[in-house]
Amino acid sequence: MTTLGASIFSTDISTAFHPEMTSLFWNQRRNPILKRLAVSTEQLASTATTVTSKTTPKRNFVEKESSEAAAFSTATAVKSKTTSTGTTYLSEESEGNRKSLKDYFDEAKDMIKADGAPPRWFSPLECGSHSPDSPLLLFLPGLVQLIERTIRSEHNHSPNKPIYLVGESLGACFALAVAARNPHIDLVLVLSNPATSFSMSVPQSTISLLEFIPGQMTLTLCHILSSMTGDPLKMAIDNVVKGISVPPTIQDLSTYLSVLADILPNETLLWKLELLKSASAYANARLHSVKAQTLILYSGKDQMMPSEEEGQRLSRELPNCQTRSSAHVWQEEGVDLVTIIKGAGYYRRGKCINYVSDFIPLTTTEFNKFCEEIRLRSDLTSPVMLSTLEDGKIVADLSGIPSEGPVLYVGYHNLLGLEAFPMVQQFMIQRNVLVRCVAHPMFFESKDGGLPDFEGNDTLRIVGGVPASAVNLYKLLSSKSHVMLHPGGMREALHRKGEEYKLFWPESSEFVRMSSTFGAKIIPFGAVGEDDIAQIVLDYNDQMRIPFLKSQIEEMNKRVVKLRTDITGEVANQPVHLPLPIPKIPGRFYYYFGKPIETKGRKQELRDRKKSQKLYLQVKGEVENCIAYLKEKRQNDPYRNILPRLIYQATHGFRAQVPTFEL
C-alpha cells in the first residue's frame, strides 16, 4: 500500500531514544507539516477556502493545480511492533476522535516495550497516493546505517530525483554524517537547530551531573528534553490548552511527569547526551566532505544550544547552504516546513530546480500569510483595478480578465516593483487566477550570482515568481499560465529622478512571436501611483558620486547575474543599486488593463519580423496610453489622498472598498 505522510514521532523529535524504546506520540491533527504532506490529491482538488478583502467580502480560492500534498513521499524510521508487512500505519483521527494528553502517555507506556524487531521506515498516516515524480523525504532518527541503506536503495531506483533528509538537533548531525559519507547522492538537507554546537551547549554540562546523581530526575527532565526534542511536553500541553482536549489538572501533570521519568531514567538520558556528544563531534569532523544542498533552520528561542550562531557558522562552512530563522522549532503549530522549503527555493523534483514545473500552488495558509505581509501596503494605497471588456467597455473590476491562459500581462515597472504584489493579490481574490511574476534572476540565486541570503525573497518564490529568461517564458506560456512581464525590467524599477512612468523597452520584440507560438492573449496594462507614495532623493547618479556607495555598487554588480548583455541602449544599463526614496502622505495605486490582443492563429503571420515588430510597438503604445489615462483620471478621484479614504472607511467599515473616479 502506498502512503503519504510525515511521522508524528521519531527518535529525535520526541523522547530521548534508547535502543530498547520508541517514541512519544503527539497529536497529528495539530501538526501543520502533516497536514501539508498527508492529503490526497482528491481531497485537495475538492477543497475550497475562504479569503477576505476589500474588493469582495468573501471568495472561494480553490487550488486547481496538482496537490501540494504530493510534494514528498515521506517516512520516519522508528522501532515498532511487527506487522505482516513490516510497516506500521496509523489512520488520521477524525475531528471528534482526537487524542487527549492522557492517551499519548498511555500509548507511550505500551510503545516502550521491546519486541526484538529491527528498526523500520514507516508513515503514520494512511492517505492517498503521491505524485509519481515527487522526491523522497525522510525524517531522521539516530540510525546512520539504516538511513544510508534507504537512500542508496532509493538513489539506485530513482537516480535523477533528490532525496530530502530532515533532521532536528541530533537528527541534523546524522544527516550531515550521511551526506559526508555519500557525496555522490543528490541529497537536500533540512536541518533544524543542529546539535553540532553540543560542545558549547547547556546539556554538555549535565553529563557529569547525571553520572553522580542517583535515581530519576523528574523535575529536570523537561529541561533536558527541550535540547533534544523541541520540547514535546510543552507542545502537548499547548495543544491541550488550545482546545484539543480537556486541560489537565496539576495532579494529571504530576502523573505525566512521573510517566516520563519511568520512560526516561537517568541512564537513558545519560546515554542520549553521550550520543549527542559523539554525533556532534563526528559531524563536525566531516563538514568538509558535505556537498549536499543544505537549509539550516534555527530558533531564536533555543535556550539549550547556541542555534543561531551555529546556523551562521554552518552557512560559512558548507558550500551550498542557506539559513532561515524561526521563533519556534518547526514542529510547532504555525510553522510549516513545506512553506519554508518552497520559500528558500529548495523544492525540486530533479537535479535542478524548475521554477515552472516544480511550482506548488499556494495553500490557504500561505495565501492568508501573503495578504498579511502586504496588508499595510494595500491599506495605505487602496488599489483601484480597471479592466476592459471585449466590447471595449472599461469596468471598475477585473471582469475583463480572461479566466483561461495563456495570458501575458505586459506593463510598466513602478519604482522598486511596488505594484507587483497588490496586483497578484487582487487577481487571486477577484478572478481566482495566479499571475506568475517574471523577475530578475538575482532574486532566486544564493550567494554567487545573486543577492545576499534574504528571507524577503521567499515570498516571491512562494507566490510563483520565476527568473527572467526566454526558456522560462516559453515554459510558462506552454503550460497556459498567466504571466506578468515588464520589458523595462530593472531599468524601470530602479529608475533615476524625473523618470517616473518612462518606458525603457528594447528596440525589438522579445515576447510577441513566443506568444503567438502558444496563442497567448497579450494584455497591455498601466500602473501608476509611485509618485504619490515616495520621492527619490538619492538615485544611481547621486550614489556614484559618493565613494563609499560607489564601491559598494561596483562590488555588488560584480557578483550579480547580468541580463541583456547582447543589446545596447538604456535598457541594457541596469546596474544593481537601491534608490533612496522618502515617503509621502500615501496616495493611491491605479491599474488599468487594456483590451486583450489575440495572437491565436497568427503564428505564421507573426514570424515575419516586420509584422511582429508592428505588434510589439502596438503593445508598447497601449501601455503608454493606459498610463496616460490613469494619470489624467486620478485627478478626479476624490479619494486619491489617504485622509478622505480613512473618513470613508470610518463610516462604511474599514474593509469596505473605497470608490474612485467615474469611468
Side-chain angles (χ1 to χ4, degrees), residues 249-266:
T249 64
I250 298 298
Q251 183 179 0
D252 290 334
L253 291 177
S254 176
T255 302
Y256 301 148
L257 288 173
S258 177
V259 173
L260 283 176
D262 290 337
I263 296 174
L264 296 174
N266 282 6

Side-chain angles (χ1 to χ4, degrees), residues 200-219:
M200 299 176 289
S201 68
V202 173
Q204 163 74 17
S205 62
T206 65
I207 294 179
S208 57
L209 181 65
L210 286 172
E211 290 176 343
F212 292 103
I213 295 181
Q216 299 163 344
M217 299 181 63
T218 300
L219 296 178

Side-chain angles (χ1 to χ4, degrees), residues 368-403:
N368 289 337
K369 183 178 179 181
F370 168 63
C371 291
E372 281 299 318
E373 288 179 1
I374 67 169
R375 181 179 297 279
L376 180 60
R377 189 188 317 180
S378 297
D379 288 347
L380 291 178
T381 61
S382 188
V384 175
M385 296 284 169
L386 309 178
S387 63
T388 308
L389 303 179
E390 291 185 1
D391 59 4
K393 181 181 178 181
I394 301 175
V395 292
D397 54 36
L398 297 177
S399 57
I401 298 299
S403 299

Side-chain angles (χ1 to χ4, degrees), residues 588-654:
R588 200 169 192 181
F589 262 115
Y590 302 85
Y591 299 77
Y592 173 31
F593 298 89
K595 186 176 181 180
I597 300 173
E598 288 282 358
T599 65
K600 188 175 182 179
R602 302 179 64 183
K603 181 177 179 180
Q604 294 299 324
E605 172 193 351
L606 293 175
R607 282 185 176 179
D608 183 282
R609 289 188 177 274
K610 290 184 178 180
K611 293 182 179 179
S612 175
Q613 183 68 9
K614 181 179 179 180
L615 181 56
Y616 176 74
L617 295 177
Q618 177 189 343
V619 173
K620 183 178 181 182
E622 289 292 332
V623 172
E624 292 173 330
N625 292 338
C626 290
I627 293 174
Y629 174 86
L630 292 173
K631 290 174 68 177
E632 178 184 353
K633 296 293 288 186
R634 70 176 176 173
Q635 303 293 334
N636 302 319
D637 185 0
Y639 300 102
R640 179 178 175 183
N641 189 277
I642 190 173
L643 295 180
R645 294 201 300 272
L646 290 175
I647 294 173
Y648 180 90
Q649 291 176 323
T651 56
H652 294 80
F654 284 96

Side-chain angles (χ1 to χ4, degrees), residues 241-303:
V241 172
K242 291 175 183 176
I244 292 180
S245 184
V246 179
T249 64
I250 298 298
Q251 183 179 0
D252 290 334
L253 291 177
S254 176
T255 302
Y256 301 148
L257 288 173
S258 177
V259 173
L260 283 176
D262 290 337
I263 296 174
L264 296 174
N266 282 6
E267 293 80 4
T268 300
L269 290 176
L270 182 60
W271 177 87
K272 178 74 173 188
L273 291 172
E274 291 289 356
L275 181 60
L276 276 168
K277 180 179 179 180
S278 60
S280 174
Y282 186 94
N284 279 310
R286 289 159 178 79
L287 288 180
H288 63 280
S289 299
V290 177
K291 309 301 180 186
Q293 188 179 16
T294 306
L295 179 62
I296 306 290
L297 312 178
Y298 58 82
S299 170
K301 299 177 68 176
D302 193 338
Q303 299 178 356

